[in-house]
Every structure is written in structure tokens, then in C-alpha cells.
Amino acid sequence: MTFQTTPKITFVGAGSVVFTQGLLADLFAYPELDGVHVALHDIDPDRLATALAAARRIAAVRGVKPVLTAHADRREALAGADVAVNMVQIGMGAATRTDFEVPERYGVRQTIGDTLGIGGIFRGLRTFPFLKALGEDIAEVCPEAWLLNYTNPMAMNVQYLSEATGLTRVVGLCHSVYWTVHGLAALVGVPFDEVTYVAAGVNHQAWVLRFEHAGADLYPRLRELAESDGQLRRRVRFDMLRRLGYYPTETSEHSAEYVPWYLKHDTEIDRLRLPIGDYLGIVAENEAEYERTRRAIAADEPLPVEGTGEYAPQIVHSLVTGTPRTVYGNVVNRGLIENLPSGGVVEVPCLVDGTGVRPTRIGALPPQLAALNRTYLSVDDLVVRAAVEDDPRHIRHAAMIDPATAAALPVERIFELCDDLVRAHGDRLQPALRAVLGR
């Protein structure tokens, strides 16, 4: 990319204040980005004002002078943007609680509920109408912009953006690969910056394919730990390593939801210490943290300015300066992983520099890993088909295929659960998908 003027970065959903703060702390740490235009957008005026005040504080602490603007109008915020960062959560905490409370009445257990499972399905469905409108705005007012998506369910959302809006400069970003390898390096006693690694698969169910230090494979040490450490054996990810041969790149709480083996069984919940409903506590803490930030700003108290290591600021820096670096991105599979479906969204290493974001071809995954990823992508595809084709039956088909939902319920109850969630989410869904189908 060639920047003829000051780069403009638009944060959509900037009212996710705590996350916005972390991204801005990273962005403002780059001297080359001093003077960047950051446009903040949110539909909640209180959250937008809080985000703007926090941005000013962070800029002052970092000693930089960005152009900071706040916009209630999304198109105004996006006009002329070089990069748009999407962090919107449709329905906020109330909708998330619905995603847990309704399935709980059916005996469906969830831990996080934002990626796959019945919670992930409906989180995607209520996000799609917003994504379509966002894509249309980008196509009209900043068609050359890169859209960096943080909103879950990541793979569903990126696939939907590709199919429903035609946008091609879309990359989904998640910190799971980075922090997984960071944790593994600490576990085996090797500095993270000395580790060589490659991961690939799908978001929240990618796999560490290579994990090396000074040319030596570190997997034997991991497998030894998996066999010898009783506490590690009580983690889902180490259980999957022992049985599948590779380590998944998201937490045990997440990983348990994408397979049929764990959440259905009380013995497995106890053995692997699975925190049912864990995300509800995270939602409550996020809400409390926002209130603490708002009060601190009102009282003119200092705010923490801490970097996050997130990929979006790194990508912006590379696009602006040409600095090459590798990040992990979620992109449409066009021959990148040959034994996963074309058109699905995969997570792979991506080279970023001044020319853009270019994903790396991985080849084939080990067959047992690809088999699990294909089930995940089948659910994603059916949810996207429901929206793109205006077909409410595919919502039920997705739930029937979903591993954790299918393990928990007979098919008639799956249909009833989908009907109840359709009623509960009401007008957040596109009109054709609000139909109640019965059994």
C-alpha cells in the first residue's frame, strides 16, 4: 500500500473500551505512527465518549499526537480509512446470557459459547446483518481498506463477509496461537523468542504443527510432560495432545466445546476441571472493568497503558512502514490447507509488509486433525448458508452437525432449542431466519 496522506485507522465498536485501550497502547508505541488518524465509532454515546477520553490519555502517556475523532455515524468514521478494525458485539452481555441460559434449560453445557456450539451459531446469526451493512459501507466509502476482524465467531464471520459482501481484504485476528506458543515455551523452559513454530487449522482449533528450539523438536518434551504430570493430564489440551498427537491452540475451556467427548459427561467435567458457563463470568468482569475505566476518567485518575501484543497494530505498522513480519490470520481457504474445504476459513501464518497481507500455503494437515477441522467448518458453512440463502432449516442442520450439541440432545430437542433461541433473539436475526419450524 502507498500512503499519500496520514494513515487513517477506524475502530468499529470502539466502545469495547478495555480492548480498544490495549490496541491503542500498542499502536501509539510505534514512533512511525505518531500523527496517525484514529477514528472511533460506537452507537453507544457514553461508551464512545469514554473510548475517546481513554485514547487521549493513552496518547499523552505515550508522548504522541495522533488525530483522534469520535463518530456516532459509521460511514463518517469509515470514510477514507486505510484500515478498519471491527470489535462489535451484537447484543452485548444480554445476548450472551441468552446464549447460555436457554441451552442450559435443555441440558446443553457450554463454557465459552462464542465460536462453535449452539452459542456460536446464534452469535454468528445475530452478527451477520451488521457485517453485511459494514461491508456495504466499506465498499462505498473506503474500498481499498483492510478489514481486520476481531469479532467472534471468527471463522463464520470471515466466511460470511467473503460470501455476502464480496470484500477481499479481510483478515480475522486472534491471539490464541501467539499465547499458546508463549505458554508452551515457558512450560518446556525455552525463551519464547528462541522458539520456531508453525500452527495451522481453524480459529480456536488450530494445531501446533512444529515446535522447535535450535533445530531440535520440542514435542518429545511436551509428550513426556503430558504422560508424567498428573495436573497437566487434567487439562483438555493435554488430553487431546495425548490422543491426537498435536497440541491445539486455544484454551481447554474453548477446546472442550468443539468435540463431542467432554461436556456431555459428568466424569469428564470433573476429570478435566471444566468450568461450565465460564464466559458469563468474563462478561461480568468486562462490564465491571468498563465501569472502572469510566469512573477513573471522570475522576481524572490515571489509566493503565499496557500493550497487548495483538496483531492489528503490528499489521498497521507493516502496511505503513513496509516492515515485514509474520502474524497469524483467519482467511478464506484457497488452496492454503489442501485437505480442508475450499471457501471455509482457515488460520495460517501470514506475511505482512507494505504490499498487504499474504497467507502461507500449508499443504495437508495430519488426517486426524483435518477430520476434526472439517466438522467445525461444516457447522460454519451451514450457518453461513442459512444467512446467505435465507433458509432457516440450515440453522437446525448446523446444530444437528455441531459435535457438542449433537452429543447432548436428540434431534427433536435440537429443533426445539433452535426455535427457543430464535424467539429469544427476535429481531436481531434477519427476517427470513426468524421462522419457528417446530419438530
Side-chain angles (χ1 to χ4, degrees), residues 279-313:
Y279 193 59
L280 294 177
I282 296 171
V283 169
E285 175 55 30
N286 287 342
E287 292 169 342
E289 183 64 24
Y290 167 71
E291 290 300 325
R292 286 193 290 269
T293 299
R294 188 175 63 81
R295 289 195 298 268
I297 289 171
D300 199 27
E301 296 171 352
L303 291 176
V305 179
E306 299 175 1
T308 62
E310 292 286 349
Y311 289 134

Side-chain angles (χ1 to χ4, degrees), residues 1 12 39 114 149 169 174 179 211 243 256 294 336 372 395:
M1 296 178 71
V12 181
D114 72 348
N149 178 68
R169 292 186 168 190
C174 176
W179 286 113
F211 182 47
R243 300 173 195 282
R294 188 175 63 81
L336 300 171
L372 283 176
I395 301 174

Side-chain angles (χ1 to χ4, degrees), residues 255-265 372 375 402-408:
S255 295
E257 293 189 308
Y258 313 143
V259 294
W261 317 316
Y262 300 121
L263 292 177
K264 169 65 176 174
H265 307 287
L372 283 176
T375 299
D402 177 72
T405 308

Side-chain angles (χ1 to χ4, degrees), residues 192-215:
F192 171 73
D193 58 6
E194 295 181 13
V195 166
T196 299
Y197 64 95
V198 175
V202 294
N203 182 238
H204 291 171
Q205 198 189 61
W207 312 92
V208 179
L209 302 176
R210 289 180 58 193
F211 182 47
E212 301 169 355
H213 179 246

Side-chain angles (χ1 to χ4, degrees), residues 57-328:
R57 295 278 189 90
I58 293 166
V61 171
R62 289 291 199 215
V64 297
K65 296 181 179 180
V67 177
L68 297 173
T69 58
H71 309 265
D73 183 270
R74 187 174 64 229
R75 289 170 65 88
E76 180 184 89
L78 287 166
D82 299 291
V83 177
V85 182
N86 175 43
M87 304 173 285
V88 167
Q89 182 182 351
I90 301 300
M92 299 291 286
T96 298
R97 293 182 183 95
T98 295
D99 285 340
F100 276 83
E101 291 166 359
V102 175
E104 184 179 18
R105 296 201 293 266
Y106 284 77
V108 175
R109 293 160 165 162
Q110 299 178 96
T111 50
I112 305 296
D114 72 348
T115 298
L116 215 61
I118 198 69
I121 289 169
F122 277 86
R123 191 181 182 104
L125 291 169
R126 67 175 183 267
T127 304
F128 291 167
F130 159 76
L131 292 178
K132 187 170 186 179
L134 175 64
E136 290 170 350
D137 286 349
I138 289 173
E140 291 183 23
V141 304
C142 55
E144 298 302 310
W146 283 91
L147 174 57
L148 307 181
N149 178 68
Y150 275 106
T151 296
N152 284 319
M154 180 66 67
M156 287 185 202
N157 287 343
V158 174
Q159 182 179 345
Y160 178 82
L161 281 163
S162 172
E163 295 195 24
T165 73
L167 295 180
T168 57
R169 292 186 168 190
V170 179
V171 183
L173 301 178
C174 176
H175 54 215
S176 62
V177 172
Y178 173 83
W179 286 113
T180 289
V181 179
H182 217 278
L184 290 178
L187 196 61
V188 299
V190 175
F192 171 73
D193 58 6
E194 295 181 13
V195 166
T196 299
Y197 64 95
V198 175
V202 294
N203 182 238
H204 291 171
Q205 198 189 61
W207 312 92
V208 179
L209 302 176
R210 289 180 58 193
F211 182 47
E212 301 169 355
H213 179 246
D217 185 5
L218 292 172
Y219 253 119
R221 290 168 68 177
L222 277 185
R223 295 188 180 104
E224 180 182 342
L225 286 170
E227 293 299 330
S228 64
D229 189 316
Q231 293 305 306
L232 291 181
R233 285 203 305 273
R234 296 189 67 191
R235 297 183 188 176
V236 165
R237 291 205 281 184
F238 274 89
D239 195 66
M240 294 176 76
L241 168 63
R242 292 173 63 219
R243 300 173 195 282
L244 296 168
Y246 293 86
Y247 197 80
T249 62
E250 191 43 272
T251 63
S252 292
E253 292 86 345
H254 275 279
S255 295
E257 293 189 308
Y258 313 143
V259 294
W261 317 316
Y262 300 121
L263 292 177
K264 169 65 176 174
H265 307 287
D266 292 340
T267 53
E268 292 296 84
I269 288 171
D270 179 64
R271 177 175 76 93
L272 298 168
R273 300 171 292 189
L274 291 172
I276 304 304
D278 189 49
Y279 193 59
L280 294 177
I282 296 171
V283 169
E285 175 55 30
N286 287 342
E287 292 169 342
E289 183 64 24
Y290 167 71
E291 290 300 325
R292 286 193 290 269
T293 299
R294 188 175 63 81
R295 289 195 298 268
I297 289 171
D300 199 27
E301 296 171 352
L303 291 176
V305 179
E306 299 175 1
T308 62
E310 292 286 349
Y311 289 134
Q314 298 178 47
I315 291 173
V316 171
H317 182 259
S318 288
L319 292 174
V320 172
T321 67
T323 303
R325 51 168 51 93
T326 298
V327 304
Y328 275 79

